[in-house]
Amino acid sequence: MSSKSLFRKRSLRVEDDKRTKAAELTLRQSLYPICLVTILFFLWGFSYGLLDTLNKHFQNTLGISKARSSGLQAAYFGAYPLASLGHAAWILRHFGYRAVFIWGLFLYGLGALLTIPTIINHSFGGFCFCIFIIGNGLGSLETAANPYVAVCGPPAYSEIRINLSQAFNGIGTVVAPVLGSYVFFNFDEATALRNVQWVYLAIACFVFILAFVFYISDIPEITDADMEFQAAETHAAAVDRPFRKQYRLFHAAFAQFCYCGSQVAIAGFFINYVTETRPGTDSSTGSKFLAGAQAAFAVGRFAGVGLMHFFKPRIVFGLFMTMIIVFVSPAITQHGNTGLSMLYITLFFESIIFPTIVALGLRGLGKHTKRGSGFIVGAVIGGAVVPSLVGYAADQHGTPFSFIIVVLFFVASWTYAMAVNFIPSYRENADAFTAATVGLGDSIITTADEEISAPAGRMEKA
């Protein structure tokens, strides 16, 4: 095969008005693409966990306040809307999922490489700019990966699929603080900063290699026509509504904004909380405690997936969201090991919230799925807003007291959990996908290259 024909075969452009069989993949057929995309979940879990560790590290080495150190989170999550509603959304709608995966990995690798000179020059502002580029890359990956995993395979298992993939995100958030506790806090300032450089150089090399793997891999592309077909097959009610009337989507995006803000604030100031409330605890030990809390988060993901085999995802979602509020509230006044335990339990119940909001929020959007994904992922900007508020309050009144803000935003997010369980229009839309049989039988097409024109109505399965 000539190089010209190879590149033609690897074209990244997809026609969104053509229906493929990608929306009808069986569990077996969806295994390889899901596994490949799951690597991305690990990557941004690792990056996010590393950011929480660097937050405290820069407070120590650069002598900056909690409010200023939250600039890392502001740069990281502030980039998400620019990606999910801007460049990544445009690429997704005009090219396809694989193009966004490659673009996101390129930005991630570029940002990682650019951190090296900023670290050498001890430039916190420059490092935040690099984190902003990385955030654009990861925002691009999330814009594509979350809806891709949610729709690539039988819709009945949508929440289970995305939570299982997101479990590897949790593993990444465990690995990063453990790594940080050994390479950032146990050395002098010069050596620790040099270690940060090596970590980001390794990240850059890995993601560039992964981008090439995505380029040469045959993974199914899922078009707007596919999603319109899948929504029609599941009898979801939102198919024919214009985008501006997708009120459940906007409620999900609001819940995601509030939830992500609180989750990021807890993780970002976790080490501060432990060192302030637990006598004799230094930053290195606090980083290890953070790794333990993130381990509870990862375990919660697997536990949530298990529960979703027996209970409807919306019920598990409502229970976990309620338990978050119940257990994070005592951490405001109960310090020491008691407060630490409350945060561990809180992170356990946080585990399934983000991916379940994504899956439930995208249900029934049909041809609006790609655009809707941009709104839900863009709501991650809450992670840039809430930590800054918490950081300011922590500088004035201490970290434990500042968690009052965390509780308030969790309560706002909880309104969506209640809606999908008790408001009929929300509940029926969620349950329609849970009962769907699309992709549970035999499929006759296994690649995205075999296309058929989008039907005017429902199409009979071959």
Side-chain angles (χ1 to χ4, degrees), residues 61-242:
T61 58
L62 301 181
I64 60 178
S65 67
K66 298 184 186 74
R68 191 180 175 198
S69 72
S70 69
L72 289 173
Q73 277 79 10
Y76 183 89
F77 291 102
Y80 269 60
L82 181 61
S84 64
L85 299 176
H87 54 84
W90 187 89
I91 295 172
L92 183 60
R93 297 180 69 183
H94 290 82
F95 288 86
Y97 286 98
R98 191 156 58 101
V100 180
F101 293 147
I102 295 171
W103 170 244
L105 288 168
F106 167 74
L107 290 178
Y108 189 1
L110 176 64
L113 286 178
L114 291 177
T115 61
I116 296 175
T118 66
I119 294 170
I120 292 174
N121 291 285
H122 290 205
S123 173
F124 181 72
F127 190 83
C128 285
F129 176 73
C130 295
I131 292 298
F132 180 76
I133 296 176
I134 291 174
N136 269 280
L138 293 173
S140 300
L141 294 176
E142 289 225 44
T143 299
N146 282 302
Y148 188 86
V149 171
V151 303
C152 186
Y157 301 132
S158 176
E159 289 87 359
I160 293 176
R161 248 190 335 270
I162 193 170
N163 273 286
L164 191 57
S165 290
Q166 285 274 5
F168 289 87
N169 171 286
I171 294 172
T173 61
V174 174
V175 173
V178 172
L179 177 68
S181 70
Y182 288 104
V183 303
F184 299 159
F185 296 117
N186 290 335
F187 297 93
D188 60 80
E189 179 182 331
T191 304
L193 289 174
R194 190 161 55 248
N195 289 342
V196 175
Q197 298 173 46
W198 283 109
V199 168
Y200 277 99
L201 178 61
I203 289 174
C205 293
F206 180 78
V207 298
F208 286 140
I209 292 171
L210 187 59
F212 180 72
V213 172
F214 269 97
Y215 180 73
I216 64 175
S217 293
D218 284 318
I219 61 174
E221 281 286 355
I222 302 169
T223 66
D224 285 348
D226 288 325
M227 293 315 304
E228 193 170 11
F229 167 79
Q230 191 180 88
E233 286 289 295
T234 55
H235 308 290
V239 181
D240 296 326
R241 292 181 183 174

Side-chain angles (χ1 to χ4, degrees), residues 438-449:
V438 177
L440 297 181
D442 294 327
S443 181
I444 61 172
I445 296 180
T446 60
T447 70
D449 295 329

